[in-house]
Amino acid sequence: MKVLVVGSGAREHALVRALAADPQVDAVIATPGNPGIADLALCVSTEGGATDPAGVLAVAQRYAVELVVVGPEAPLVAGVADELRAHGIPVFGPSAAAARLEGSKAFAKEVMSAADVPTGLAHVCANLAEVEQPLDAFGAPYVVKEDGLAAGKGVVVTADREAALAHAGAVLAKPGGLIVVEEFLDGPEVSLFCLCDGSTAVALAPAQDFKRVGEGDTGPNTGGMGAYSPLAWAPPGLADEVIERIALPVLAQMRRRGTPFVGTLFVGLALTARGPRVIEFNVRFGDPETQVVLARLRTPLAQVLLAAANGRLAAVEPLRWDAGSAVTVVVAAKDYPATPRTGDPITLPDLAGGGAAGADGAAYVLHAGTALGEDGTLVSAGGRVLSVVGTGPDLRVAREQAYAAVAEVALDGSHYRRDIGLAAERGEVSVPSGPGQGPA
Ligand code: AMP
Ligand code: GLY
């Protein structure tokens, strides 16, 4: 089978790596890909880029691929999956209509309400006067979200009422800007990816993401500075509960609306004292969580994603997982996330064995914002530059592996968080206990 992967980040590098390892896969093509992906796949750039449906279709047809896997949300919202499906090409990724689950937080809330999915209370506001009432009703910390796609930067969580109002004002000043004011959900966050074929859903292993730029969860939000999986502290039945209470009802609701959901339903959860609550949906694999989830998946990936694309997920065997842990640490460019500097030369660690796993673990480097300079040297080309993965029999070894490799990366001005997975390694993460544990 030939597979096309759309996108250019470390998530796509992880997808390409897993797909290329599937014995049923003869070749992987990526558009546009990146220099790390180019070691495993043929990288093809198009004039219109990954968000141009006609351009992606042309690549899929030129190489006669039998499956397309779309990484980022922007191509999905732009209708890339619709265009491929209209031409009979199996695609793992939702239609533009179904991608509204991520593209509009107000729409996601409406679907959750119709499907009776546990989530926080929320108000959609079209002007500043409407914002104050729910802000005061919910109280601090205030959660104020831009309705549309904002690359993880549209959400402000703050104890400062003025800052909450200022964010709302800035968003509402944009044409068509809408604000969602939400109840604050207290508890550790979990990312759970549910592979969906329109009616059936299969959960991948839960992961945790570190969104803030600074250690101890300080500083501004980013696309994600690191992740680990599995989560020893999460309730054992969490994935089953999310499938039953969240994914399947949402799939039924989307089918009823004539917009069936095929692809990854990324359920962002807070594990609160009252049970798991949905913080958000995304309609694609998460970055950097995918890097650690796929590091542990032992079932060949292409067959599962093809089954999902073809509506045959119910026939897939239960997924098999490595019992160990995986950690990824993002190496970010100078001044990320504000104004990342690009064009700096990168020296990669010399990793013996190319990341082959053993009892002592292993490490490998996935590329995100990298490019080849005119003389062929590897240079930084984005905010998140590398995603270094460590694996091992437990979290401690996986962290050691990841950080030993990160220490060997040379990139002027770069920074990374030293505390990815640290609290979990120390047994310091727990779900708040309270009345009525479990789904309310
Ligand atoms: P989102 O883009 O909706 O995932 O929000 C980004 C981040 O903001 C989440 O990962 C949470 O850390 C935080 N956040 C969003 N909504 C809430 C909420 N209702 N309660 C607490 N934290 C939230
Ligand atoms: N890591 C969170 C995301 O991909 O949105």
Side-chain angles (χ1 to χ4, degrees):
M1 168 178 13
K2 282 196 224 166
V3 186
L4 172 63
V5 173
V6 178
S8 64
R11 162 185 50 205
E12 288 75 24
H13 193 172
L15 284 164
V16 166
R17 193 173 186 272
L19 291 166
D22 185 328
Q24 288 193 8
V25 172
D26 311 306
V28 183
I29 295 109
T31 184
N34 67 37
I37 292 175
D39 287 340
L40 302 166
L42 175 69
C43 292
V44 183
S45 294
T46 61
E47 216 170 283
T51 55
D52 170 29
V56 175
L57 173 68
V59 176
Q61 289 177 329
R62 184 174 348 137
Y63 295 97
V65 303
E66 292 152 84
L67 172 66
V68 181
V69 180
V70 182
E73 61 276 20
L76 296 166
V77 170
V80 164
D82 303 77
E83 182 77 0
L84 293 161
R85 260 186 216 113
H87 290 80
I89 299 171
V91 48
F92 183 78
S95 65
R100 281 188 75 212
L101 280 175
E102 175 166 354
S104 163
K105 293 184 191 289
F107 176 74
K109 282 287 182 188
E110 184 203 315
V111 171
M112 281 189 257
S113 163
D116 202 16
V117 162
T119 184
L121 298 172
H123 284 269
V124 181
C125 310
N127 60 60
L128 207 51
E130 292 172 18
V131 172
E132 300 208 30
Q133 194 274 333
L135 225 46
D136 294 333
F138 293 141
Y142 305 104
V143 180
V144 177
K145 302 185 176 185
E146 180 169 359
D147 177 58
L149 287 184
K153 286 151 201 156
V155 178
V156 165
V157 180
T158 175
D160 179 347
R161 193 173 179 277
E162 290 309 309
L165 281 171
H167 179 59
V171 170
L172 290 167
K174 299 184 196 176
L178 279 181
I179 276 291
V180 180
V181 179
E182 250 179 55
E183 169 189 14
F184 179 77
L185 297 169
D186 196 14
E189 289 181 40
V190 173
S191 299
L192 192 77
F193 305 156
C194 300
L195 308 181
C196 300
D197 71 353
S199 37
T200 304
V202 173
L204 299 185
Q208 195 175 40
D209 170 24
F210 293 74
K211 285 207 165 73
R212 304 279 186 147
V213 73
E215 283 163 24
D217 295 327
T218 53
N221 264 333
T222 69
M225 294 297 289
Y228 68 97
S229 178
L231 311 177
W233 48 267
L238 180 66
D240 290 341
E241 184 180 345
V242 169
I243 293 287
E244 292 303 321
R245 291 287 319 266
I246 298 168
L248 293 178
V250 165
L251 290 186
Q253 189 58 227
M254 296 302 282
R255 258 196 336 272
R256 199 166 301 141
R257 290 165 187 242
T259 52
F261 186 92
V262 175
T264 303
L265 181 66
F266 167 156
V267 183
L269 294 160
L271 302 192
T272 74
R274 290 177 298 149
R277 294 284 182 277
V278 176
I279 287 191
E280 64 163 347
F281 287 139
N282 294 311
V283 299
R284 41 144 185 108
F285 289 105
D287 187 345
E289 295 96 317
T290 300
Q291 289 87 304
V292 288
V293 171
L294 294 184
R296 299 184 49 242
L297 180 67
R298 290 294 162 264
T299 304
L301 182 64
Q303 311 171 22
V304 180
L305 300 187
L306 182 63
N310 288 333
R312 291 188 288 98
L313 211 44
V316 168
E317 301 272 308
L319 301 180
R320 287 176 285 111
W321 297 93
D322 183 284
S325 286
V327 174
T328 192
V329 178
V330 169
V331 178
K334 179 175 165 56
D335 296 335
Y336 175 78
T339 50
R341 187 174 76 190
T342 59
D344 287 304
I346 305 166
T347 308
L348 296 178
D350 182 17
L351 296 169
D360 299 331
Y364 50 90
V365 173
L366 299 172
H367 289 225
T370 69
L372 293 180
E374 274 173 27
D375 57 355
T377 55
L378 191 67
V379 297
S380 59
R384 293 189 290 177
V385 181
L386 302 172
S387 184
V388 178
V389 180
T391 62
D394 56 30
L395 196 48
R396 184 183 61 80
V397 178
R399 292 186 74 246
E400 278 170 12
Q401 285 286 350
Y403 282 109
V406 166
E408 286 181 46
V409 171
L411 171 60
D412 188 41
S414 66
H415 57 99
Y416 61 90
R417 280 182 63 165
R418 289 168 178 77
D419 62 348
I420 305 300
L422 180 60
E425 183 192 322
R426 292 179 172 163
E428 290 170 358
V429 187
S430 62
V431 180
S433 58
Q437 268 285 6

